[in-house]
Amino acid sequence: MAVLSGVAVPAPLSSTGAARLLVLRNFIVYRSAWKLFLTGFLEPVLYLFSIGIGVGQLIDTFEFHGEQVPYAAFVAPAMLATSAFNGALLDSTFNVFFKLKYEKLYDQMLATPLSTGDIARGEIIWGLLRGSVYSAAFLVVMLAMGLVESWWAVLALPATVLIAFAFSAVCMALTTWMTSWQDFDKITLAQMPLFLFSATFFPVEAFGDGLLRWVVEATPLYRGVVLCRELTTGVVTWESAVSVVYLVVMGLVGLAVVRRRLDALLLT
Amino acid sequence: MATSTSAARPTGTLSAWEGMARQYDYWLTVYKRTWRGGVANSFATPLFYVLAMGVLLGGFIDADPARLEGATSYLAFIVPGLVAAHAMTLAVSESTYPVMGAIKWHKTFYAQLATPLAVRDLVNAFLAFVVFRVASACAVFMLVLAPFGVFESWWGPVLAWVAQVLVGTAFAAITFGYSARLKSEEGFGLVFRLGVLPLTLFSGAFFPISNLGPVLEWVARLTPLWHGVSLSRMFCLDTVDWPLALVNLAVLVGLTAVGWVWSVRGLDKRLEV
């Protein structure tokens, strides 16, 4: 690798060009796994039908920022946010770990003009593109079911991209510290409570007014869920801005760490 | 391998019991060395569900026994269904990747078949181990839930546990048959997304299937998990409708029998090659 960085190497790619190449590579690989790609979209829709509609018949409405929201309309944006979260998590942990440790894919890429920063950006952009397709499809389902109550919902798509960005970056960073598949049990152990307790299926008021509620409100998925819910119900507040800043910062920190860790793992 | 296995395949030299007992401890030994990784998840995940859906979401649900199949709280309604669904999930995950591993990656089944064991014994031993896993997980789960006050009698949960084990057995047998025929592990992703998840969500674990509307309610009644959920719930809530319980039981036992035959045939064919 050190030898290659001599004089004969062509000029480094621009960072957009490099990310584009990586995205293209992932796209080609995924074309053969289209069944998994397609069914990935089903998961949130099934949750919406089951919990939102089935359980929803047992519940009247929930109060959200002072407005009464029907249960299905309450759960749907949460499913939108959690599907972005789950997708990002899956892509940036299992898949990245496999490429890093078994396929040695990144070692190969670094033998080309790609840099570790390019790899981090490219992988995350691919994850975001894939996630956006799911999110857009889910938003269409919500619209068809009459669960979108405001024009603000147009911004729900970028909101899911932001959620996916924040989690992709941080999870990819965490993955660089993993040594075996057993470590993924810890990921699941964090994923389940985040999924279930981030005011996804019931309002955050269920946690009372104490410390517990404060903790929940400070978790990233809760910020994402509330952001999506504010946008699809049209009850946008200053809290929305807090969520946006929170997720942007989280993503940028993650990205910086990924880059440093890949440098340490692959270039030394 | 083709010649050696077909020549030396000694079907029936061991009794079915002996054959199972000889290999059962193999899987148990493997498990003894690897259980730590998954144990937190297999207990934490259902508990998180009980807390989130049963306790917290249940706090917002009007507990009307007429709408909750006789349950006096949403928690009492959801618990028997969740444990049955957990039995299914566990049985399916234990009989997907490990079966493919024993055929394709570690070739454990080939090694076992080179001994006086027959294909039937390999299937029995494997399924017995999965049933042990399901039985112990469900037992712990039911014991943990007892203090929540969701059971109506002391004997009901015991019978419900038997029903949950039966759910696990039926699903393990069917899944084994599928895994024994599968060439690539990609098929498992589809099993979880198109099988396990929809069954968990729509087989009456989270809400009464009457909420699905008349047509889908009948579809739900045809799914194997619903029969397990129904049995488990009737016993836990002490609302047993015996004719229905017998139908539920017959379906689960029937599926187990069909699944077993399917598994033995599938593995027999697969190991010949």
Side-chain angles (χ1 to χ4, degrees), chain B residues 50 68-71 75-88 134 138-139 141-143 145 150-168 171 203-206 223-242 244-249 252:
Chain B
V50 168
L68 290 177
E69 296 181 1
L75 182 64
F77 171 84
I78 201 173
V79 157
L82 277 181
V83 187
H86 182 55
M88 169 190 72
V134 172
C138 290
F141 202 4
M142 293 293 273
L143 284 173
L145 290 169
V150 290
F151 302 133
E152 294 292 328
S153 65
W154 66 266
W155 55 269
V158 178
L159 290 180
W161 173 74
V162 176
Q164 291 146 12
V165 175
L166 202 53
V167 170
F171 274 97
S203 291
F206 289 106
T223 63
L225 181 59
W226 176 77
H227 292 274
V229 169
S230 162
L231 266 185
S232 179
R233 182 168 295 136
M234 286 194 297
F235 287 131
C236 286
L237 300 179
D238 199 8
T239 53
V240 186
D241 170 6
W242 286 105
L244 178 62
L246 283 178
V247 172
N248 294 156
L249 195 69
L252 292 174

Side-chain angles (χ1 to χ4, degrees), chain B residues 182-208:
Chain B
L182 201 63
K183 302 281 181 240
S184 146
E185 70 271 23
E186 272 163 48
F188 293 143
L190 298 180
V191 168
F192 286 100
R193 277 182 178 160
L194 302 179
V196 173
L197 185 70
L199 281 177
T200 307
L201 290 172
F202 297 102
S203 291
F206 289 106
F207 57 87

Side-chain angles (χ1 to χ4, degrees), chain B residues 38-238:
Chain B
V39 76
N41 276 326
S42 52
F43 291 117
T45 304
L47 264 183
F48 284 144
Y49 264 97
V50 168
L51 273 180
M53 309 302 290
V55 179
L56 291 166
L57 179 63
F60 294 96
I61 291 177
D62 183 29
D64 177 5
R67 295 193 65 189
L68 290 177
E69 296 181 1
T72 48
S73 72
Y74 184 64
L75 182 64
F77 171 84
I78 201 173
V79 157
L82 277 181
V83 187
H86 182 55
M88 169 190 72
T89 312
L90 192 61
V92 173
S93 17
E94 288 287 326
S95 10
T96 44
Y97 292 94
V99 172
M100 181 163 280
I103 295 171
K104 192 172 158 182
W105 301 317
H106 311 302
K107 309 224 185 283
T108 324
F109 282 150
Y110 288 102
Q112 296 180 352
L113 205 61
T115 72
L117 293 167
V119 168
R120 177 198 67 186
D121 303 323
L122 308 191
V123 175
N124 285 346
F126 190 90
L127 291 181
F129 166 72
V130 176
V131 171
F132 157 76
R133 283 274 286 131
V134 172
S136 51
C138 290
V140 173
F141 202 4
M142 293 293 273
L143 284 173
V144 169
L145 290 169
F148 283 81
V150 290
F151 302 133
E152 294 292 328
S153 65
W154 66 266
W155 55 269
V158 178
L159 290 180
W161 173 74
V162 176
Q164 291 146 12
V165 175
L166 202 53
V167 170
T169 317
F171 274 97
I174 297 167
T175 315
F176 189 108
Y178 172 76
S179 305
R181 287 168 174 81
L182 201 63
K183 302 281 181 240
S184 146
E185 70 271 23
E186 272 163 48
F188 293 143
L190 298 180
V191 168
F192 286 100
R193 277 182 178 160
L194 302 179
V196 173
L197 185 70
L199 281 177
T200 307
L201 290 172
F202 297 102
S203 291
F206 289 106
F207 57 87
I209 51 168
S210 54
N211 285 8
L212 285 170
V215 180
L216 288 176
E217 180 181 350
W218 269 103
V219 176
R221 272 178 207 280
L222 295 177
T223 63
L225 181 59
W226 176 77
H227 292 274
V229 169
S230 162
L231 266 185
S232 179
R233 182 168 295 136
M234 286 194 297
F235 287 131
C236 286
L237 300 179
D238 199 8

Side-chain angles (χ1 to χ4, degrees), chain A residues 150-189:
Chain A
S150 152
W151 274 101
W152 281 103
V154 176
L155 291 179
L157 188 61
T160 56
V161 176
L162 185 57
I163 295 168
F165 167 62
F167 279 100
S168 290
V170 167
C171 291
M172 195 170 164
L174 291 176
T175 304
T176 60
W177 272 284
M178 289 187 186
T179 52
S180 78
W181 291 109
Q182 264 72 44
D183 288 336
F184 285 96
D185 288 325
K186 291 169 200 151
I187 293 263
T188 320
L189 218 51

Side-chain angles (χ1 to χ4, degrees), chain A residues 41-94:
Chain A
F41 157 71
L42 267 180
E43 213 159 294
V45 177
L46 289 176
Y47 270 99
L48 177 63
F49 280 124
S50 168
I51 311 288
I53 317 267
V55 179
Q57 293 182 27
L58 305 168
I59 295 171
D60 266 354
T61 53
F62 275 147
E63 196 184 292
F64 178 64
H65 289 332
E67 303 249 336
Q68 291 298 325
V69 181
Y71 187 60
F74 180 87
V75 169
M79 292 301 104
L80 181 67
T82 51
S83 81
F85 157 75
N86 278 325
L89 197 101
L90 218 66
D91 252 348
S92 57
T93 53
F94 285 87

